[in-house]
Amino acid sequence: MPAPEPWRPVFEYKYGVPVGGLLGIGFASHPESGHDLVMVVSGDGHGLFDAVTGEKIARDRDPDPENSTPDAVADLSCPGLGPVSGVRVHIAGLFGGGLHTTTADGWTLEVVTPAWPNDRVLLSSDGGLPHSGPHGERWWHILHSNYSELRAVGFSPSGQTIAVATSSDVSLWTRRTDRSHSSSAED
């Protein structure tokens, strides 16, 4: 079911944006707009998306082999690109690592697997399992990964973006309503 207000999907495609051979994702912040950025690491290189507009803002099809996957360094990071070049971005996915599973204002993400190997991603506003309210009122089943392996699920550090990465795509939701910089946490 769709994520509730104030969340909205960033991409118009049912399963987000296709990214073949996706290994992991990480978050950064755009130094000018303040938007959350999602860095995607795959077998075909690195990409950087604006998590509010969905725009692909940078691409490196041939990263340095010593930095092309996050397992090359102890902190599971890769060099940033585009507006975050010169910054290392921590990547969660196939090689480990993790993303935030809660926000400061009470949203929670969980992965459940009632029909292994198919994972389901749950978004809730009731503190998580066990859920205190009915489905569609206090918790929502926002993604069913029955077509690819789940790689990473989590919120951006700002709490304004939800990302779900599988081996074949990345899906994003945002609660930012503007298309430009805003300093308010309630955007």
Side-chain angles (χ1 to χ4, degrees), residues 7-182:
W7 300 100
R8 66 170 178 81
V10 173
F11 303 118
E12 62 186 64
Y13 311 107
K14 181 177 179 181
Y15 293 110
V17 169
V19 180
L22 190 146
L23 301 173
I25 61 171
F27 285 104
S29 182
H30 195 291
E32 294 169 9
S33 71
H35 286 184
D36 288 334
L37 301 175
V38 177
M39 183 166 162
V40 177
V41 175
S42 76
D44 291 329
H46 300 169
L48 193 67
F49 291 91
D50 183 306
V52 176
T53 67
E55 176 187 7
K56 186 187 300 182
I57 56 176
R59 180 82 164 99
D60 183 355
R61 293 185 184 279
D62 191 26
D64 177 358
E66 292 184 22
N67 288 308
S68 64
T69 60
D71 62 325
V73 294
D75 69 350
L76 298 175
S77 67
C78 288
L81 59 156
V84 291
S85 61
V87 174
R88 294 203 59 92
V89 178
H90 294 277
I91 304 297
L94 184 63
F95 300 109
L99 301 173
H100 295 264
T101 57
T102 60
T103 65
D105 60 345
W107 291 97
T108 301
L109 284 169
E110 299 162 305
V111 176
V112 296
T113 312
W116 184 86
N118 301 323
D119 296 303
R120 297 175 186 190
V121 179
L122 307 180
L123 171 66
S124 67
S125 61
D126 65 2
L129 289 171
H131 296 290
S132 64
H135 180 259
E137 289 182 23
R138 304 274 301 176
W139 66 279
W140 299 263
H141 172 198
I142 63 169
L143 191 128
H144 190 159
S145 180
N146 59 353
Y147 53 90
S148 295
E149 292 178 19
L150 197 63
R151 293 286 192 246
V153 173
F155 293 103
S156 62
S158 73
Q160 299 297 305
T161 301
I162 298 170
V164 177
T166 71
S167 58
S168 64
D169 52 60
V170 63
S171 298
L172 302 175
W173 292 262
T174 186
R175 56 182 169 164
R176 297 271 309 247
T177 57
D178 67 326
R179 301 285 180 181
S180 62
H181 176 65
S182 176

